[in-house]
Amino acid sequence: MHLDHAEGFPQRHTYSAPLRTRPDGRRRALRIGLGGPVGSGKTATVAALCRALRGELSIAVVTNDIYTREDAEFLLRNAVLPAERITAVETGACPHTAIRDDISANLEAVEDLEEAVGPLDLVLVESGGDNLTATFSKGLVDAQVFVIDVAGGDKVPRKGGPGVSTADLLVVNKTDLAPMVGADLGVMARDAAAQRGTLPVAFTSLTAPDGIAPVTAWVREQLAAWTAVPV
Amino acid sequence: MTAPPAVRGVRAAARIAAVPDGRGGTALPLLAGDGPLALRRTRSAPGWARVTVVGAMCAPLGGDRLALDAEVAAGARLLVGSAAATVALPGADGARATYDTNLTVGRNAELHWEPEPLIAAAGSDLAVTTRIRLTAGARLVLREIQVLGRAGEAPGHLTSRLTATLDGQPLLEQELALGPGEPGWDGPAVLGGRRAVGQLLLVAPEFIDAPPNVTRLSADRGDGVALVTPLAGPAVLVTALAADGLTVRHLLDRARPPLPGAA
Amino acid sequence: MTAATHGERRHPARAALLVLADGRFPAGGHAHSGGAEAAVKAGRITGAADLEEFCRGRLATTGLVAAALAAAAAAGVDPRALDDAADARTPSPALRATSRRLGRQLTRAARAVWPSPALEELAASRPRGAHHSVVLGLTAAAAGLDPLDAAHAAAHESVSGPATAVVRLLSLDPFHATAVLARLAPQTDRVARRAEEHALAARTGGTSALPAASAPLLDLFAEDHAAWPVRLFAS
């Protein structure tokens, strides 16, 4: 997997995320956004990441459901994190607005979590299932993951859109279903590379043991880069 | 421009002062009724004084100016009610009537102010103002019920401003402006077609540490709803809405949280 | 004074008002329905006509109060006293929490857009957030707007929020929803002017000179909504 460290955490000029520190001067948590179409496995990816990393990192999650709490409830039911580490944000039926155009409620949620259960190493912000144009504001997250799945058709990477072409990591999920839906992973990889240039792509099957491993590795590298910069 | 003298309206001011009598009870050194506001001392529980406002006339009429002041000194306990509902009626010249109530409650004093409903008859125009000045440690139960129109009648016009301060700081500021000409009063943000509204304001220092939960009640019969809301200060407001005054009253009685520490 | 110079003096920063009152101003308002989500569920808003009556009542009550608080803040009345006055005018705990939350979010945006020492002072004295209308007034002042502008922004917001929300909740024709706002525009202007008068009176008469118009059903809707486990809007 290729990682473009130089572009990982560019200098930010918006008001919100650029500060790397909390009000008390300590380093704030790295914020990673996870977006993608409905049903592609965003919540499952978040759950798997939490399970894989919660032993070594202090993690919290913000969900942005269309109808609130569904995703938060899933995470709670599956007990991937204690309830106080999961916050649901209402989005007024516009999940992409809450992560891109008006990020204030999400920033509140992230900061409230840091205050309530911090210090945190990692905050995962999960968008509500939306379309291929939904991306996170750089004022909200430091890096973003876009999750698609093979069941949505192997043409999704070719179609592109801001999520597929600009996300810091593209996850192609449910690779185990590829034979059943007639999706060609090679085509998907080639089309993704055409859209994304050197940006990385991870193929996952969350039903396999440690199927989340490529994403976990990418998150660890992001964290290493994040903490390597002195505050 | 001179107003015809016949329709100038009544001006009446009644005053009550309650103080501890030194023997564990409450004395009324001042009990002064006036015109339509006649006051009677009535039987009460030990420690309390009770006053009933007796509506000697059907008031207020348009153009009337009524004022009722009560001061409950530190340590005194006063209960004020009224003998019958107050009916606001139109005056001869369509002028607005005013009804001002000023209540002062001292430290460790307790006032229960629970008059019968106020009914704004068709064509009437009344502005009610209630100012309550509380000192820290004061206890208060204040009930007001307002009904728009008598049975089967069109609503009158009624504004009701309630101001309560605690040690000079605002505790509750509310104004209802109801009836013909008030934008949206009958619509889905304000009364939603109901004709009666009531409020119960309870103040006690204990509410700061132990506020009641927000509670919502529906009327047993017919259309009506009540909401119990703890205020930002040591007070609770119960609001009830219903088709008629009786239902509002029942809702307020059912929703009423106990006044902590009350005698 | 000619009409032209009068106009210039009266509106030294009209474009800033458009920025502040724009529904896309990123201060969290898009996720709030102003009670409309609960009113829709209660069957009290079913179409454009109900929406108009709902907005008319909201504008005349909490809209007027918010506009007056905002105008007073823009007119230089002590923002902490206004914050207390807003508490006293908001019996519903859910609405107090919503107002402080929106105030916090607007503070965040305003700090980046129109930084001002007055806002910083208020934020420091109210770390959990000051009431939205008070922050709105200080933001308007920081943007070079006058008290009437602040009142206009608050009054407009009191109806535009529910109207936008109902478009999403009922799939109401957006032309009809916007026509509601247009029909309410004269009342919105009247409310803003009344709010300004109250605000100027409060400079000498204190916060009790501000209106306190209340709407029982809005309180009820807010508390109902806050108790739902699942909802589209934050309020």
Side-chain angles (χ1 to χ4, degrees):
Chain A
M1 186 192 306
H2 176 88
L3 288 173
D4 195 343
H5 292 292
E7 288 302 307
F9 308 106
Q11 188 61 45
R12 309 210 187 273
H13 301 283
T14 56
Y15 182 76
S16 341
L19 289 174
R20 302 175 68 94
T21 53
R22 289 149 39 95
D24 62 9
R26 283 185 292 184
R27 187 194 312 275
R28 67 163 171 80
L30 175 70
R31 301 170 189 170
I32 294 181
L34 292 103
V38 177
S40 63
K42 293 182 297 297
T43 307
T45 302
V46 167
L49 276 174
C50 289
R51 279 192 211 99
L53 294 168
R54 66 189 172 194
E56 58 193 275
L57 299 174
S58 177
I59 306 176
V61 173
V62 178
T63 62
N64 281 261
D65 255 326
I66 294 175
Y67 224 39
T68 40
R69 300 217 62 86
E70 179 97 357
D71 290 345
E73 303 279 341
F74 176 89
L75 297 173
L76 286 171
R77 258 199 321 277
N78 290 276
V80 296
L81 286 179
E84 67 272 17
R85 289 177 175 264
I86 303 170
T87 296
V89 167
E90 292 96 346
T91 59
C94 286
H96 58 272
T97 303
I99 60 163
R100 186 185 59 204
D101 309 300
D102 184 350
I103 56 178
S104 39
N106 269 296
L107 286 170
E108 291 277 324
V110 169
E111 291 177 9
D112 285 353
L113 280 168
E114 287 223 52
E115 199 176 298
V117 298
L120 296 169
D121 302 306
L122 177 64
V123 178
L124 301 174
V125 183
E126 183 191 342
S127 82
D130 211 307
N131 54 39
L132 295 173
T133 65
T135 52
F136 285 83
S137 163
K138 289 178 177 175
L140 175 60
V141 300
D142 302 298
Q144 50 193 305
V145 178
F146 200 74
V147 183
I148 60 174
D149 71 327
V150 300
D154 58 12
K155 63 191 180 301
V156 171
R158 189 165 65 245
K159 283 184 171 175
V164 166
S165 54
T166 67
D168 299 287
L169 175 68
L170 178 68
V171 172
V172 181
N173 190 25
K174 306 186 191 175
T175 53
D176 50 310
L177 298 182
M180 281 166 260
V181 299
D184 186 331
L185 295 180
V187 166
M188 293 183 88
R190 200 171 58 235
D191 289 343
Q195 291 284 349
R196 296 171 53 76
T198 55
L199 288 168
V201 181
F203 287 85
T204 57
S205 168
L206 298 182
T207 52
D210 204 22
I212 193 67
V215 185
T216 314
W218 178 84
V219 169
R220 282 204 184 92
E221 288 174 65
Q222 302 299 302
L223 263 169
W226 175 247
T227 50
V229 179
V231 293
Chain B
M1 194 169 66
T2 53
V7 294
R8 195 173 285 156
V10 174
R11 280 165 195 271
R15 293 174 66 201
I16 308 168
V19 299
D21 65 4
R23 303 184 304 276
T26 295
L28 297 175
L30 177 61
L31 187 66
D34 185 13
L37 297 171
L39 305 177
R40 299 278 180 273
R41 179 158 191 170
T42 43
R43 287 175 60 88
S44 60
W48 291 78
R50 179 197 283 263
V51 172
T52 301
V53 182
V54 183
M57 295 162 52
C58 210
L61 292 170
D64 287 0
R65 300 190 172 279
L66 308 183
L68 188 48
D69 289 8
E71 184 164 356
V72 188
R77 293 175 195 159
L78 175 66
L79 207 153
V80 178
S82 63
T86 302
V87 183
L89 294 170
D93 61 351
R96 169 170 293 191
T98 63
Y99 196 149
D100 295 343
T101 304
N102 286 288
L103 308 176
T104 307
V105 190
R107 182 176 301 278
N108 299 323
E110 185 163 340
L111 170 64
H112 290 221
W113 188 268
E114 304 188 50
E116 296 302 303
L118 169 64
I119 301 166
S124 68
D125 187 8
L126 174 66
V128 176
T129 309
T130 307
R131 292 185 199 85
I132 308 156
R133 287 189 301 155
L134 302 153
T135 307
R139 288 168 201 285
L140 174 77
V141 176
L142 178 132
R143 185 185 67 198
E144 49 176 36
I145 297 173
Q146 288 139 0
V147 182
L148 278 292
R150 291 172 291 198
E153 186 184 65
H157 182 257
L158 176 69
T159 65
S160 172
R161 174 83 182 232
L162 175 65
T163 299
T165 60
L166 181 62
D167 282 343
Q169 295 300 306
L171 182 65
L172 177 65
E173 290 265 11
Q174 278 215 296
E175 182 163 15
L176 281 169
L178 307 172
E182 294 295 344
W185 74 275
D186 204 19
V190 186
L191 293 192
R194 276 106 175 202
R195 285 291 176 268
V197 56
Q199 302 206 106
L200 198 56
L201 173 63
L202 297 102
V203 183
E206 291 83 358
F207 281 134
I208 269 291
D209 295 321
N213 292 325
V214 171
T215 317
R216 178 203 221 277
L217 288 180
S218 292
D220 293 328
R221 278 173 301 148
D223 173 47
V225 63
L227 183 68
V228 179
T229 48
L231 303 184
V236 176
L237 185 71
V238 185
T239 306
L241 290 177
D244 59 83
L246 195 62
T247 310
V248 162
R249 185 172 192 151
H250 287 157
L251 278 166
L252 290 177
D253 286 346
R254 274 176 57 211
R256 178 180 195 152
L259 191 69
Chain C
M1 193 191 311
T2 68
T5 59
H6 180 78
E8 235 175 272
R9 195 178 58 88
R10 198 84 183 106
H11 291 288
R14 186 168 266 172
L17 175 58
L18 296 176
V19 174
L20 179 61
D22 189 334
R24 286 166 296 185
F25 191 85
H30 76 95
H32 292 259
S33 78
E37 186 174 20
V40 164
K41 189 169 180 187
R44 294 239 171 223
I45 300 179
T46 58
D50 301 332
L51 171 65
E52 183 163 344
E53 279 309 293
F54 180 87
C55 288
R56 198 184 302 287
R58 192 167 197 261
L59 178 59
T61 54
T62 55
L64 172 66
V65 173
L69 286 163
V77 177
D78 175 14
R80 280 164 303 183
L82 291 172
D83 198 59
D84 294 343
D87 261 347
R89 284 161 176 75
T90 318
S92 152
L95 286 180
R96 289 197 298 276
T98 295
S99 172
R100 291 195 180 281
R101 186 172 171 192
L102 284 170
R104 213 157 63 219
Q105 295 181 179
L106 177 55
T107 301
R108 179 190 298 277
R111 277 171 158 171
V113 179
W114 293 292
S116 99
L119 254 177
E120 293 301 327
E121 275 172 37
L122 180 62
S125 71
R126 296 288 188 275
R128 297 308 298 161
H131 278 288
H132 179 255
S133 49
V134 183
V135 178
L136 183 61
L138 291 185
T139 303
L145 299 169
D146 65 21
L148 180 60
D149 295 325
H152 265 117
H156 172 65
E157 200 169 79
S158 77
V159 290
S160 62
T164 312
V166 169
V167 168
R168 298 183 210 160
L169 288 162
L170 289 179
S171 302
L172 188 68
D173 184 332
F175 298 129
H176 293 165
T178 304
V180 164
L181 295 180
R183 281 196 293 276
L184 288 172
Q187 192 197 336
T188 309
D189 286 336
R190 280 196 297 278
V191 161
R193 285 193 295 269
R194 259 187 78 195
E196 185 202 29
E197 286 166 21
H198 282 288
L200 299 180
R203 282 206 294 208
T204 48
T207 60
S208 62
L210 297 173
S214 51
L217 280 178
L218 290 181
D219 291 345
L220 195 74
F221 289 144
E223 294 299 339
D224 279 353
H225 190 268
W228 295 359
V230 170
R231 52 189 176 241
L232 279 173
F233 288 84
S235 77

